Amino acid sequence: MPEKNTLKINKRDGIFFLSLLLFTVFISLSNFYSFLLFHTVAELFSVVIASAIFIIAWNSRNYIDNKYLLIIGIAFLFIGVIDFFHTMSYSGLNLITGLNQNIQMQLWIAARYLEAVTFILAPLLMFKKIGVYRQFLLYAIVTAAILYSVFISGTFPACYIPWSGVTQFEIYSEFLISAMLVLALWFLYVRRESFDRKVFLFIGASLVFSLFSEFSFTFYISSYWFSNVFGLICKIISFGLIYYAVVETGIRRPYSVIFRNLKRRENELKIERDRFDQYLDIAEAIFLVLDREGMVTLINRKGCEVLGYEKEEIRGFDWFENFMPEGDGDAMRSLFMQDIDEGMSHVKIEGHILTKSGELKTILWQNSLIRDEKDEVTASVSSGEDITEKKSIERDLRLKNVAIETSINGIVILDMKAIITYANPSFAHMYGYDSPAEITGMNSSVFFRNSIDLKSVIDTIIKEGGYVGEMKSKKKSGEDIIVQISAYFLKPEDSTTSCIYISLVDVTERERIKEALASANMKLNILSGITRHDILNEVTVAIGYLDMMNDASPEEKEDFIKKTYTAVEGIRRQAEFTRDYQDMGLSSPLWQNPGRVAKEYLASNGGYGEIDVKVDADNVEIFADPMLPKVFANIMSNSLVHGETVSKITISSSKDDSGNLIITIEDNGVGISAGKKKSLFKPGIGRNHGFGLYLVKEILSITGIGISETGKEGEGAKFVITVPPDSWRGT
């Protein structure tokens, strides 16, 4: 319990008060004999007391924690110096020539200002770390400046003018100093708990008498006026009280001089120690202290819980040998001994401990060294956090992060405003970006053709907790792609931050292939129906002619035989045509280089002899049915068969204003007449029915590619193949 702060007046106190009273009476009586004697003795008494205060305070500076005494002690030395000059300059002593009453009063005011400022600052700075030599130098500079301004430069404000008396500055200064002393009393009262009660009362009384002294000088009429005598008597009592409170008490009872901190600190230390023990036991971190040999001297409750031992089973045992795995123990002991020898600890280090049950746990240690008063290392103190589960979670997160980062699926996370907060590399590349950094922070609406689609999907995800489906999306280049998405609404239990997780697969080619196969199947069904119908017609014709031959004349029979042969020949051509289109649409479309396809056809057919064939379509690929070579074979063979005067064939590619790829195959032959152009790509019957170009058109249309003939009769044939933007790419 704190020491009770009681006021006890002992015999020594009584002797002091009696001595001060007798001395004051003696000094006061001397005034009746000579005011000059009274003034000189009173002021010299103040100078001696001020010097004594400084000597005692300075010599006790090493064991004083509360700096109040030291601040006052240093200040009073310089207050005494100014008072000494004030005494020596007094008129009548004639010790220093050329002095006057103005200088005498200037020195008095300066000393009182310095005293008042000191009593204000002392309570404010008593617990601050202030260099005593710096403080001494500061007071010395201030004192030198005061003396210089009074005796040499004459810049100190005038306090007395012979023909008019004291100045307004002197009067206002006395009032201001009185106010400052009142403020100093208030600061002292605020800090009263830092003082012994008796010392507090003595210092307070000293300030009160200083206040009386200053206030009395506000009634100044002449040096011999009663107010001056009363003021000097109050000053003697003030200095005497401060002397007894600060110096006399400090010598006789240094353990309680002014400050009662020692006993209080002992009590506080005990309370803090008990509180610290409680903190250690309720802390959720391991607290461990090892001596220089690595023996456990202290461990808290948490440490015992993690290890599975009682405190008695841990204290006094070798930490590295008993509570760490064998390999780790040797390595950690080596580091520990290095820290002890070098006096520098590994502040943060991760290691393993072995519990009583044999379980291995990972601990993150924060370490520091304990030193004695000789700055020698005596022990090591460590705070440890069990991060076993955390490390396991981090390892799992790293594995999952790697899986997400390397996934071939595009993965993106959106906040509730549809802003992208994360995207993996596959997502970035899927949409034509170089890295996820370009996408993070963007609004996901940029990937949708229609913002309504995005809102609809997000509403469904939030309402139903997820969404699975396909939708059309948009790449950086503006190209449309079809993506299959699987989305989930994530709302962590321990957080108010929700997000949307989306996994995407680009199924554009798959959908194109599916559409192409569906189109091919439909066309095959149509072609099969047409072919079957045409064959049946030819069979019906042949059977009819054969029946008619039974009753026909020889001449008619010969004609019927020729017509039957013609019908059978038509059936043969229909069968050959089915051989060409039987594979159409059976295989998935793929990306093919039209220039390379044309060159391979030329190479397989031994070239075209003297006909000049130029191919300039090697820098593109088109998405077409695997039967694309049939397209070039049919068109180029038509030039040979029907062009008659063909000497040059050119194959080239270009891009139109709509982004379509235009592949042109043209020759310089006789061209195609306007009448034939109308049925050029239609199926027919007989030798000139054009099954080849009809097949060309159907092969290309499987993937949405169109074909037309735009040549002029007499100038040559010109076939134009138009490939949509999403069905071609540059290489």
Side-chain angles (χ1 to χ4, degrees):
M1 292 295 291
E3 181 185 16
K4 188 175 181 180
N5 194 4
T6 58
L7 178 61
K8 296 180 180 179
I9 303 298
N10 54 38
K11 182 179 179 181
R12 186 170 55 251
D13 298 333
I15 294 174
F16 168 76
F17 286 123
L18 180 60
S19 300
L20 182 61
L21 176 61
L22 293 176
F23 182 77
T24 303
V25 171
F26 171 75
I27 291 296
S28 301
L29 293 175
S30 67
N31 177 56
F32 293 102
Y33 175 75
S34 169
F35 178 80
L36 181 60
L37 174 63
F38 165 73
H39 179 270
T40 303
V41 173
E43 291 291 1
L44 289 177
F45 172 80
S46 300
V47 171
V48 171
I49 292 296
S51 301
I53 292 173
F54 166 75
I55 292 170
I56 300 302
W58 185 264
N59 286 294
S60 60
R61 67 185 183 278
N62 292 328
Y63 61 84
I64 297 176
D65 294 329
N66 186 321
K67 303 300 180 183
Y68 191 96
L69 168 63
L70 195 55
I71 294 171
I72 291 177
I74 294 174
F76 264 73
L77 171 66
F78 295 96
I79 292 170
V81 169
I82 298 174
D83 277 342
F84 176 77
F85 278 98
H86 164 74
T87 304
M88 296 299 102
S89 65
Y90 205 78
S91 57
L93 286 179
N94 298 322
L95 296 176
I96 305 175
T97 59
L99 300 182
N100 54 49
Q101 194 169 350
N102 178 51
I103 292 177
Q104 166 195 328
M105 297 187 71
Q106 286 176 326
L107 293 170
W108 170 269
I109 289 297
R112 303 292 72 78
Y113 266 125
L114 191 60
E115 180 183 353
V117 170
T118 298
F119 276 109
I120 289 176
L121 293 178
L124 301 178
L125 303 177
M126 60 191 296
F127 296 118
K128 305 289 184 181
K129 291 184 178 180
I130 303 173
V132 292
Y133 293 101
R134 184 180 300 175
Q135 182 183 344
F136 187 94
L137 179 61
L138 178 61
Y139 272 100
I141 292 172
V142 170
T143 302
I146 290 171
L147 296 177
Y148 177 82
S149 66
V150 172
F151 289 107
I152 300 176
S153 68
T155 56
F156 196 92
C159 292
Y160 182 85
I161 299 175
W163 56 86
S164 60
V166 294
T167 64
Q168 293 295 316
F169 169 76
E170 197 278 342
I171 296 174
Y172 289 145
S173 291
E174 296 289 0
F175 281 112
L176 178 57
I177 293 169
S178 299
M180 293 171 67
L181 290 172
V182 172
L183 183 61
L185 267 171
W186 169 250
F187 286 154
L188 179 67
Y189 177 78
V190 171
R191 297 282 192 178
R192 64 188 181 282
E193 294 299 326
S194 300
F195 297 90
D196 179 88
R197 188 178 181 188
K198 182 189 294 186
V199 173
F200 165 73
L201 291 175
F202 284 161
I203 297 175
S206 172
L207 287 173
V208 170
F209 276 99
S210 292
L211 180 60
F212 288 162
S213 175
E214 290 305 312
F215 191 71
S216 67
F217 282 102
T218 60
F219 299 101
Y220 179 88
I221 295 178
S222 72
S223 298
Y224 307 101
W225 189 250
F226 172 76
S227 62
N228 287 20
V229 176
F230 179 76
L232 286 173
I233 292 174
C234 288
K235 181 185 177 185
I236 292 171
I237 297 174
S238 173
F239 273 51
L241 289 172
I242 200 69
Y243 168 81
Y244 188 74
V246 178
V247 182
E248 178 69 9
T249 307
I251 295 174
R252 293 179 178 172
R253 293 196 299 150
Y255 56 88
S256 61
V257 178
I258 304 177
F259 328 104
R260 299 176 298 104
N261 294 334
L262 183 58
K263 184 64 177 179
R264 186 176 66 233
R265 273 196 305 192
E266 289 178 355
N267 294 328
E268 290 175 352
L269 185 61
K270 183 178 182 303
I271 294 172
E272 287 299 319
R273 185 179 59 215
D274 295 340
R275 185 181 296 123
F276 181 67
D277 289 340
Q278 293 176 359
Y279 289 161
L280 288 183
D281 280 338
I282 64 175
E284 286 303 313
I286 302 170
F287 191 81
L288 176 71
V289 178
L290 306 179
D291 65 14
R292 290 179 59 90
E293 306 302 321
M295 299 296 179
V296 180
T297 60
L298 187 149
I299 189 167
N300 68 339
R301 177 190 55 80
K302 182 65 176 180
C304 295
E305 288 180 0
V306 173
L307 286 166
Y309 291 94
E310 298 294 330
K311 287 186 179 181
E312 293 73 18
E313 297 178 282
I314 302 176
R315 286 179 178 172
F317 288 89
D318 189 302
W319 174 256
F320 305 103
E321 181 179 342
N322 294 280
F323 307 106
M324 298 190 74
E326 185 174 349
D328 287 7
D330 294 339
M332 294 296 285
R333 184 191 295 277
S334 177
L335 284 177
F336 175 79
M337 297 310 297
Q338 179 183 339
D339 291 349
I340 296 296
D341 293 339
E342 296 179 359
M344 184 179 299
S345 66
H346 290 76
V347 177
K348 183 179 289 188
I349 192 169
E350 191 176 298
H352 297 97
I353 61 172
L354 197 62
T355 67
K356 190 174 184 178
S357 62
E359 183 183 358
L360 200 65
K361 289 186 176 290
T362 305
I363 308 296
L364 179 63
W365 296 103
Q366 300 274 356
N367 307 303
S368 61
L369 299 176
I370 301 175
R371 301 174 183 271
D372 59 16
E373 62 277 0
K374 297 179 181 179
D375 201 34
E376 293 182 357
V377 177
T378 59
S380 170
V381 58
S382 303
S383 172
E385 178 188 0
D386 184 358
I387 58 172
T388 308
E389 184 176 355
K390 180 180 177 182
K391 295 288 287 186
S392 176
I393 293 173
E394 287 177 352
R395 184 167 52 252
D396 291 344
L397 286 175
R398 283 196 300 270
L399 291 174
K400 292 175 181 177
N401 186 61
V402 170
I404 291 174
E405 287 287 308
T406 58
S407 173
I408 60 174
N409 288 4
I411 295 173
V412 65
I413 297 176
L414 313 179
D415 65 14
M416 299 312 295
K417 295 181 179 178
I419 303 299
I420 297 173
T421 59
Y422 169 82
N424 73 341
S426 293
F427 181 89
H429 298 153
M430 181 185 300
Y431 283 92
Y433 292 88
D434 294 330
S435 70
E438 295 182 70
I439 301 172
T440 304
M442 291 173 56
N443 193 301
S444 56
S445 61
V446 300
F447 301 106
F448 288 82
R449 284 292 182 189
N450 190 340
S451 60
I452 298 176
D453 294 341
L454 173 63
K455 185 178 185 306
S456 176
V457 170
I458 290 180
D459 289 345
T460 302
I461 293 170
I462 295 174
K463 181 179 179 181
E464 300 182 5
Y467 174 86
V468 176
E470 290 184 4
M471 62 190 312
K472 186 173 286 188
S473 190
K474 181 176 63 174
K475 297 177 68 172
K476 181 181 180 181
S477 62
E479 176 187 350
D480 283 338
I481 60 172
I482 301 172
V483 293
Q484 184 179 53
I485 69 174
S486 178
Y488 300 93
F489 178 51
L490 302 176
K491 186 174 183 180
E493 295 179 0
D494 58 345
S495 173
T496 57
T497 304
S498 302
C499 62
I500 298 171
Y501 173 93
I502 303 177
S503 176
L504 306 94
V505 179
D506 185 353
V507 295
T508 307
E509 289 200 16
R510 189 188 74 185
E511 290 301 310
R512 286 177 181 170
I513 291 170
K514 187 164 65 174
E515 291 175 4
L517 290 175
S519 175
N521 287 332
M522 181 185 70
K523 296 177 186 301
L524 283 171
N525 288 332
I526 295 172
L527 287 170
S528 296
I530 293 172
T531 303
R532 182 171 61 252
H533 179 270
D534 289 346
I535 290 175
L536 288 174
N537 285 341
E538 297 288 358
V539 169
T540 301
V541 170
I543 293 173
Y545 285 133
L546 290 173
D547 287 341
M548 293 170 65
M549 287 174 62
N550 292 329
D551 301 323
S553 65
E555 292 80 8
E556 290 176 330
K557 285 183 179 180
E558 184 177 354
D559 182 56
F560 288 151
I561 289 172
K562 289 181 179 179
K563 290 180 178 179
T564 302
Y565 177 80
T566 301
V568 173
E569 179 65 20
I571 293 172
R572 185 187 65 79
R573 287 201 308 272
Q574 291 282 0
E576 288 179 349
F577 177 67
T578 59
R579 181 190 61 194
D580 287 337
Y581 75 73
Q582 67 180 351
D583 294 330
M584 185 177 70
L586 296 182
S587 299
S588 301
L590 47 84
W591 291 97
Q592 302 173 71
N593 187 307
R596 190 177 300 122
V597 169
K599 290 177 181 178
E600 289 174 354
Y601 166 73
L602 287 171
S604 65
N605 286 273
Y608 273 22
E610 295 180 357
I611 296 177
D612 182 18
V613 181
K614 292 184 178 180
V615 180
D616 185 18
D618 294 330
N619 59 345
V620 293
E621 289 182 343
I622 64 175
F623 190 69
D625 190 88
M627 291 183 68
L628 181 66
K630 284 283 186 182
V631 171
F632 287 91
N634 271 280
I635 295 175
M636 295 174 71
S637 63
N638 277 342
S639 292
L640 291 178
V641 173
H642 303 291
E644 298 181 8
T645 61
V646 172
S647 63
K648 181 179 180 180
I649 298 175
T650 303
I651 302 174
S652 62
S653 64
S654 62
K655 180 182 175 182
D656 67 11
D657 294 338
S658 300
N660 299 311
L661 177 69
I662 307 298
I663 300 175
T664 304
I665 306 173
E666 56 183 323
D667 62 44
N668 61 349
V670 297
I672 302 171
S673 65
K676 289 183 179 179
K677 284 186 179 184
K678 293 180 181 179
S679 59
L680 195 62
F681 296 102
K682 294 180 180 179
I685 301 174
R687 179 182 176 186
N688 298 318
H689 288 171
F691 282 113
L693 291 178
Y694 175 69
L695 181 65
V696 165
K697 179 182 177 183
E698 294 304 313
I699 290 172
L700 293 174
S701 66
I702 289 173
T703 54
I705 302 173
I707 185 169
S708 62
E709 202 284 326
T710 62
K712 294 182 180 180
E713 186 177 0
E715 295 181 5
K718 183 178 181 180
F719 289 90
V720 177
I721 298 172
T722 304
V723 186
D726 59 350
S727 293
W728 73 275
R729 64 190 182 189
T731 60

